[in-house]
Amino acid sequence: MCQICENTYEGLKSLTIIECPNLVNIPVIQRLKHLRILNCTNLVNIPVIQGLKYLWIRTCPNLVNIPIIQGLWQLNIYNCPNIINMPVIQGLQSLTIYKCKNIINIPVIQGLWQLTIYNCTNIPVIQGLRRLTIYNCPKIINIPVIQGLQHLIIDNCQNIINMPVIQGLQSLTIYKCKNIINIPVIQG
């Protein structure tokens, strides 16, 4: 199996790994800030890398866990069907979960200001969340009231009927939501 040696890249700040089907593990690389992993079909583990700020994972079907990396700012997970649980990552500011069909619950992460979800079953109430984008979530029937939310995009969520009153909302986009009956008047 393919392996990256830990000591070889100790000054590395950014690492992108694309289409390495035999890669199983990634070592801890000190000072690494950005990690992008795409189409590594046998990857089973991502280590805790202290100081990592940006983690982007796409099409890693054997990956089952996301490590808890305190201080991580941005986490994007695309098409990783075997991930079941999302950890609580303190300090996370932006989270995108796309086509991860087995993630049932998204935890409440204080300080998160942007959340994008695709094909998920719940929306956590996160106070301080500023931007929420929801795509193709047929199991969601209600949008929770999130104080401080400024931007809301709802796309192809067929079972949402009513929109809540969200004070302070600056932009609202509703697309392909055939069952929405009511959009409330929001007074500034």
Side-chain angles (χ1 to χ4, degrees), residues 44-70:
V44 295
N45 184 38
I46 296 174
V48 173
I49 301 172
Q50 296 303 326
L52 191 66
K53 300 298 180 193
Y54 176 80
L55 178 56
W56 197 58
I57 307 162
R58 183 175 187 151
T59 313
C60 296
N62 286 318
L63 189 64
V64 294
N65 290 312
I66 299 296
I68 298 173
I69 302 172
Q70 299 303 334

Side-chain angles (χ1 to χ4, degrees), residues 1-3 19-25 39-44:
M1 292 292 169
C2 181
Q3 193 171 17
E19 293 186 16
C20 295
N22 292 320
L23 182 68
V24 176
N25 289 303
N39 299 326
C40 295
T41 54
N42 281 317
L43 184 69
V44 295

Side-chain angles (χ1 to χ4, degrees), residues 121-188:
T121 58
N122 77 320
I123 302 170
V125 176
I126 301 172
Q127 300 307 322
L129 191 65
R130 298 287 178 245
R131 180 177 300 273
L132 175 61
T133 304
I134 308 161
Y135 293 106
N136 195 36
C137 296
K139 293 184 180 179
I140 292 177
I141 56 173
N142 293 310
I143 303 292
V145 174
I146 300 173
Q147 298 301 321
L149 191 63
Q150 296 173 353
H151 308 279
L152 176 59
I153 298 171
I154 306 167
D155 186 345
N156 198 27
C157 295
Q158 300 299 323
N159 291 316
I160 294 175
I161 297 172
N162 292 307
M163 292 293 302
V165 173
I166 301 174
Q167 297 297 330
L169 196 62
Q170 296 174 9
S171 70
L172 174 62
T173 302
I174 302 170
Y175 182 69
K176 289 186 175 180
C177 297
K178 66 180 182 182
N179 288 322
I180 285 186
I181 298 170
N182 186 18
I183 299 173
V185 176
I186 300 171
Q187 307 219 346

